[in-house]
């Protein structure tokens, strides 16, 4: 079965409580859309190659995911597109 990797760039200026709420919501959405979290790597705040929303830094978070029987990527894209504080995300298939 395919594995997926999800890399996200989150607003580094979020307060700790807001960041935890956002990450909790993201994990909940992953479960709702048929993806279970295999591993989570927190890079934290890092410099970016270009500015996003006027900021030269972003909070990086990477998940390795396992899909369930029904994977709803279009629904996940729709939900992630409206998450306030989630600046960028990329979901890719991990090569076997």
């Amino acid at each position: 079965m395919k594995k997926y990797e999800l890399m996200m760039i989150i607003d580094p200026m979020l307060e700790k409580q807001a960041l935890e709420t956002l990450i909790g919501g993201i994990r909940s959405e992953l479960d709702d859309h048929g993806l279970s979290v295999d591993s989570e790597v927190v890079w934290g705040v890092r410099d970016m190659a270009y500015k996003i929303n006027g900021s030269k830094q972003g909070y990086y978070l990477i998940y390795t995911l396992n899909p369930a029987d029904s994977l709803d990527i279009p629904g996940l894209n729709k939900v992630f597109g409206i998450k306030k504080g989630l600046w960028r995300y990329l979901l890719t298939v991990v090569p076997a």
Side-chain angles (χ1 to χ4, degrees):
M1 185 177 286
K2 293 179 184 177
K3 283 191 173 197
Y4 293 86
E5 184 176 84
L6 174 65
M7 177 181 239
M8 295 177 284
I9 302 175
I10 298 171
D11 182 355
M13 300 306 289
L14 289 177
E15 293 180 9
K16 186 176 180 177
Q17 181 64 33
L19 179 63
E20 290 172 0
T21 301
L22 177 61
I23 292 172
I26 289 168
R27 289 190 70 127
S28 175
E29 291 296 340
L30 292 172
D31 289 338
D32 292 347
H33 289 87
L35 291 162
S36 62
V37 177
D38 226 16
S39 69
E40 176 184 67
V41 178
V42 178
W43 283 3
V45 178
R46 299 278 178 109
D47 288 336
M48 298 185 292
Y50 57 92
K51 289 183 179 182
I52 299 176
N53 294 339
S55 178
K56 189 73 170 152
Q57 294 184 322
Y59 183 90
Y60 285 78
L61 186 60
I62 302 169
Y63 290 113
T64 303
L65 307 164
N66 282 317
D69 293 335
S70 61
L71 180 60
D72 182 16
I73 291 183
L76 192 63
N77 285 331
K78 185 176 181 179
V79 170
F80 281 175
I82 60 173
K83 287 264 185 213
K84 189 171 180 129
L86 178 58
W87 286 349
R88 300 286 190 275
Y89 67 94
L90 180 64
L91 182 67
T92 58
V93 175
V94 176

